[in-house]
Amino acid sequence: MLPGVDPDGVRRAGTGGPWPAATTTFTRPGLSLTLSGNRGVTNPQFLAAAEALRTDSTAGPLLTHVMALEPGVHHLNRIIGDRTRTVDGELVVRLVIDLGNTRVRRGLDG
């Protein structure tokens, strides 16, 4: 959908390394879209990690926030922009943005 953009290359460049993050910009008349990637994990790996968080009482406090898209993006922007893990007076250790994916939600909620 974005001619000339290598989505896998964008993902690979997202290492969580130095700021500012690696980005790729796609432009056409009337549109400019900047993309950055994240070296995430596969769905099975993510679901296994979610299950471990759900069942291991010592790991539970690490998952501090599960939020819908809009407030989740607000928190991410504050974390990145202010270089802090405290947002609106709360420590954000691990934030999950719930996009309504039922497989992921089941992994987190049991």
Side-chain angles (χ1 to χ4, degrees):
M1 293 174 43
L2 303 172
V5 174
D6 172 18
D8 188 53
V10 171
R11 183 198 60 82
R12 281 193 320 270
T15 62
W19 184 257
T23 61
T24 299
T25 301
F26 170 79
T27 57
R28 69 175 184 217
L31 174 68
S32 178
L33 179 65
T34 300
L35 307 166
S36 64
N38 179 353
R39 288 190 189 191
V41 297
T42 65
N43 283 344
Q45 290 170 319
F46 180 74
L47 292 171
E51 178 64 15
L53 285 172
R54 189 181 71 75
T55 59
D56 182 349
S57 63
T58 63
L62 297 177
L63 182 58
T64 58
H65 293 74
V66 177
M67 308 179 108
L69 182 61
E70 191 171 320
V73 169
H74 163 78
H75 272 56
L76 285 177
N77 285 338
R78 292 282 306 277
I79 290 167
I80 293 167
D82 296 347
R83 294 181 177 258
T84 182
R85 283 287 182 167
T86 302
V87 178
D88 298 336
E90 296 181 337
L91 177 63
V92 180
V93 177
R94 177 63 94 193
L95 166 66
V96 172
I97 297 178
D98 183 354
L99 300 176
N101 183 328
T102 56
R103 289 190 329 169
V104 172
R105 187 179 300 122
R106 266 188 271 123
L108 292 172
D109 296 340

